[in-house]
Amino acid sequence: MKEYIESYHMFFPSKIFGILLYIVYPLAVWGLLFIESLFINHSYVLLTVPVFIFIVECIADFFVFAGYSSKDSSRNGYLKTSVYYTRILKRAVLSDVIRRLLSSFLIIFVPAVVLKAQCNITIFAIISVNFFIIISLCILRYFDFFAVYQFITCIILVLYVAFSVLVYIKNIFIESSIVMLLSGTVLILFHIKILFSVVREEYYD
């Protein structure tokens, strides 16, 4: 496990980034939720958590894996010269997926318990935010320009909010969660396959 974490941290721009991602990020979201709970109905507060998570995760990914699906990217050229690069990247990508799942679960689950949110809404919030983040990263990681990351993130965020509203109106939280869970798993595997096909091409060149 230590090797996986160390490999993941090799892609961080600095140690401060790790502090922001592991500590400041969840505390900031919980702080915003507390402020929200003072002004709006508690039953709606939990629905805003995935929005915060989605924005932070997509923007944060720019500083870690931006451009990695593109053969022309020059990000972390020093790592690509290592004979262990493929192994390091595999560990880092897997750690990134696990870290995001655990992080989103923790950030959503804690306020869900405090606010006594419905189980189906909690499950939907966790699965849906990860599903739409995966969709975003499949697109975002072809680019290494921050403005592009912001633009694409905003577009998919609008789609995510619209989808969440539709699910809420139709009250199909569990049904949609099952579909997203299965689709998201396939999408992750597909994305990783593309990512490492690019890595192999770089070596052949």
Side-chain angles (χ1 to χ4, degrees), residues 16 28-29 49 57-58 69 79 89 94 96 98 109 114 116 129 132 140 148 152 157 171-172 195-196 203 205:
I16 295 177
V29 174
V49 185
E57 290 290 350
C58 288
S69 292
L79 280 177
L89 183 59
L94 180 60
D96 179 62
I98 295 174
F109 184 74
V114 174
K116 298 179 180 179
V129 71
F132 276 86
L140 290 172
V148 176
I152 295 175
L157 176 60
N171 193 22
I172 50 174
L195 201 63
F196 286 101
Y203 273 116
D205 289 347

Side-chain angles (χ1 to χ4, degrees), residues 146-159:
F146 189 64
V148 176
Y149 255 70
Q150 288 180 308
F151 180 70
I152 295 175
T153 297
C154 288
I155 292 176
I156 299 180
L157 176 60
V158 171
L159 296 175

Side-chain angles (χ1 to χ4, degrees), residues 73-93:
S73 176
S74 58
R75 292 288 295 268
N76 291 325
Y78 69 98
L79 280 177
K80 294 177 181 179
T81 60
S82 172
V83 294
Y84 301 108
Y85 172 62
T86 303
R87 185 187 306 172
I88 292 173
L89 183 59
K90 285 181 178 179
R91 290 173 178 170
V93 170

Side-chain angles (χ1 to χ4, degrees), residues 59-79:
I59 298 302
D61 189 75
F62 171 81
F63 299 98
V64 185
F65 293 121
Y68 269 76
S69 292
S70 173
K71 184 180 177 182
D72 299 325
S73 176
S74 58
R75 292 288 295 268
N76 291 325
Y78 69 98
L79 280 177

Side-chain angles (χ1 to χ4, degrees), residues 22 24 38 47 49 68 81 91 96 117-118 142 159 161-162 174 179 183 188-189 193 198 201:
Y22 293 125
V24 177
L38 299 177
L47 296 176
V49 185
Y68 269 76
T81 60
R91 290 173 178 170
D96 179 62
Q118 296 179 26
Y142 279 98
L159 296 175
V161 171
I174 298 300
V179 172
S183 302
I188 288 176
L189 296 175
K193 182 178 179 179
V198 172
E201 288 180 11

